[in-house]
Structure formats: structure tokens, C-alpha cells
Amino acid sequence: MDQQFLFFLLILIISGSASVAWKMKTPLMVTASRGEDAVLNCSVYPDRLDYSDKITVKWAKSQAESPFFECSVRNDTLEGPHDCSVLKYSLFGDPRRGELSLLITNVQLNDGGTFFCKVELVGNRKLQDKIQLDVKAPPHILSLSVVNSTCGHSSSASRWLICEVEGHPVPKVVWLSASKRLLENQGHSFKSGEWSLKACIPYLQQGEEVVTCRAENSEDHAERSFPDSNTLTMFVIVVSAIALMLLCPVFICILIICLRNHRQRRLSDPPADGAELQPVYSEISCESSLFINTRNNQF
Ligand SMILES: *[C@@H]1O[C@H](CO)[C@@H](O)[C@H](O)[C@H]1NC(C)=O
Ligand SMILES: *[C@@H]1O[C@H](CO)[C@@H](O)[C@H](O)[C@H]1NC(C)=O
Ligand SMILES: *[C@@H]1O[C@H](CO)[C@@H](O)[C@H](O)[C@H]1NC(C)=O
């Protein structure tokens, strides 16, 4: 009985020391900015240096879920490439050297969350650990417009200026006057999505005052004004273009009159050694019908 217990204890100690030697290392948390590539570091320290069988690496988004990334490499040679990359995800390092890190290209907000790094060796030897990926995003103003609705609020105002912003952490919105001072009425705001927020202030039509929506979070800030200065610029460009189009025929007429006067003056001059007149009208290419007329007048 005692011998059996001792034997059991011995096995427990042996397996215990083996599992201590065979260990995995991961950081608790990895932070990346949206659009960047992120590396989730994960490495294993093998208990046997002569392991030459299959190493299976798996990455999953939750403990229960089936892995979204899986790759097996035989540890018979440390040379040569391994074939462990998919489009968005690939291994960063070589599993044969205990490197199981995952490279995620162009991380987006919904890539954030808990990841599980798993490794399996032949003989049902498994290890796993988790890593938190935090994706940061500077504020981005999705829209700034006037709407005829309640803006998620039962209030007397019927027209609201709504600024929808997105970012991680979810940005805070402040409203500024044309002179960049805080407006007295900062309205209200509510979350419109996991990373977005809608901020509303009553929109009073009187006055053409420019109001600015400013979104801030720990990453950066963003601003947009209403009415939009870009819209104003576009308006100026369009008006200038129309004015030019209207003025162009006037300029052409003036040019033609000038040319005709010039030609008449040259015709009245005695031509030098009987040389023909140079056709000056060939320099201009628009309004061909008018040139045909001037040519007809000449002969
Ligand atoms: C992640 O691993 C790479 C090499 O695999 C190393 O250069 C880098 O410093 C590691 N980063 C962290 C945060 O441990
Ligand atoms: C793969 O084999 C090499 C020796 O060839 C060894 O150093 C390495 O630790 C092994 N890798 C794993 C994950 O066991
Ligand atoms: C906006 O809403 C008000 C009442 O809330 C209504 O009287 C008005 O006709 C609406 N205007 C438009 C353009 O829908």
C-alpha cells in the first residue's frame, strides 16, 4: 500500500517536473494601431532537445472555438522554409525553434480581443496560453449633418446637427464655435456602435454660424465644421468654372476682331517682293466656323 503510494508520488513528481520544463511564454497584452501589422509573441521551450516529430501550431480566437490558423512542421531538419502563412495571418518565426508568434497584417478594430496560442507535439503533449490584442484607432469623423429627427432623445428640438465619430478608445466629442470656444449647449451623445458614438446639438437655422465637431481620444483628435469649408471651396470652384465658360466666347470674339483688324492693316500695306501673306488665323483652333468666314471674306 505504502509502496504503491510512493510509486504514484514518484510518477507525479516526474510528470510534474516534465511539465515545468516544457513551457510556453507569451505577453499578457499586445497593443497595435489600426492599419499596422501586429505580432502576437508566443514561444515554447521544449523539454527534449531531440524531438524530431511533428509540431502543430494553432491560433484560436477563443478557448472553445476551432482555430482560425493551424500549421504543422516536422522537426527533422532546422533547414529550409516552412509553409505556414495564410493571407492575413502568418507565423512570425519558426516553430522548429520554438517560435509560434502570429503576424497579423493590417489590423482592424474587430481584430482586437483574446487570442489563444496552442502547440501540440506527438504523444498528446499540448500547451496553450492567451494574449489580449488591443487595437487602437485615432478618432475619425464618419459624418456631420443636419437631420430632422429626435436624435435618440425625446426633446422639443426637431432639427439636430449630428456628428458621428469612431475610434478606439471611443472618442469624446466637444462642440466649438467659429472662434473655437466651447459652445454653451454641448447637447447629448450616445454610443451608436462598438467603437462609434453620435453627438447631437439642436440645430437652429437662424444665422450662418460655423460650428465645429471635435473628437478626441488618447490617440489623437479630429475636427470637422458645419457648414463644411470644403463645400464652400467646391462652390467657389464651380462658380469660377461657370464664369470662365461664359466669358470664353467673349474673349474669342475680341480675339477675332483683333485678328481681322490686324489682317486688314497688313492687306493695305504693300506686300514685300510679292510674297503671299502668312495665314495668321492658323494659330487659333477653336470656333472653326468663324475662321472659315474670315477666310471667305479675304478672297
Ligand atoms: C516578440 O518577438 C520578437 C522576435 O520573435 C522580438 O524581437 C520582440 O522583441 C518580441 N516582443 C515582445 C513584446 O516580447
Ligand atoms: C527541434 O529539434 C532541434 C534539434 O534538431 C531542437 O533543438 C529543437 O528544440 C526542436 N524543437 C522543438 C519545438 O522541440
Ligand atoms: C421636420 O420635422 C418637423 C416636426 O418634427 C416637421 O414639422 C417638418 O415638416 C419636418 N421637415 C422635414 C423637411 O421633414
Side-chain angles (χ1 to χ4, degrees), residues 17-251:
S17 62
S19 69
V20 165
W22 162 236
K23 61 185 175 193
M24 183 178 263
K25 198 173 157 237
T26 57
L28 277 178
M29 164 99 99
V30 170
T31 305
S33 294
R34 170 158 65 181
E36 282 181 351
D37 294 349
V39 175
L40 304 183
N41 274 10
C42 180
S43 42
V44 280
Y45 299 95
D47 47 349
R48 282 169 49 197
L49 290 179
D50 59 346
Y51 181 76
S52 59
D53 221 316
K54 203 166 72 170
I55 305 167
T56 303
V57 185
K58 293 180 182 176
W59 279 90
K61 204 63 197 283
S62 84
Q63 198 151 11
E65 233 174 74
S66 57
F68 61 84
F69 179 93
E70 184 169 340
C71 178
S72 293
V73 197
R74 273 192 73 83
N75 199 29
D76 44 7
T77 168
L78 281 178
E79 307 305 317
H82 59 80
D83 188 23
C84 283
S85 54
V86 201
L87 288 174
K88 188 178 171 70
Y89 304 101
S90 54
L91 277 195
F92 190 76
D94 193 329
R96 294 170 294 190
R97 293 190 169 82
E99 299 157 354
L100 317 174
S101 303
L102 184 73
L103 171 72
I104 309 175
T105 54
N106 186 19
V107 289
Q108 295 302 314
L109 288 174
N110 56 13
D111 286 323
T114 309
F115 285 79
F116 284 83
C117 171
K118 306 177 183 209
V119 65
E120 291 170 16
L121 301 188
V122 170
N124 201 26
R125 289 193 295 154
K126 297 181 181 178
L127 273 184
Q128 72 166 36
D129 206 350
K130 63 176 181 196
I131 307 175
Q132 189 71 30
L133 173 64
D134 191 24
V135 181
K136 303 266 190 216
H140 175 58
I141 296 176
L142 299 171
S143 64
L144 177 62
S145 57
V146 172
V147 295
N148 196 15
S149 78
T150 58
C151 194
H153 205 256
S154 50
S155 165
S156 53
S158 64
R159 282 167 75 80
W160 295 87
L161 182 56
I162 300 185
C163 186
E164 186 165 22
V165 299
E166 186 198 61
H168 192 233
V170 174
K172 184 175 162 274
V173 168
V174 292
W175 294 94
L176 306 171
S177 68
S179 55
K180 299 282 164 171
R181 284 173 195 280
L182 277 181
L183 287 186
E184 223 172 274
N185 184 354
Q186 287 288 320
H188 65 275
S189 62
F190 60 95
K191 274 191 84 175
S192 56
E194 206 170 341
W195 302 287
S196 60
L197 174 131
K198 276 185 180 174
C200 320
I201 51 168
Y203 184 71
L204 313 163
Q205 262 164 305
Q206 77 262 20
E208 288 296 299
E209 238 236 288
V210 176
V211 177
T212 300
C213 165
R214 181 185 165 93
E216 303 170 336
N217 71 8
S218 57
E219 302 306 291
D220 205 350
H221 70 269
E223 285 186 2
R224 197 186 290 179
S225 298
F226 188 91
D228 194 354
S229 56
N230 285 343
T231 320
L232 277 176
T233 316
M234 274 301 286
F235 179 73
V236 169
I237 290 171
V238 168
V239 167
S240 314
I242 291 172
L244 260 174
M245 274 162 64
L246 291 176
L247 285 175
C248 189
V250 177
F251 280 127

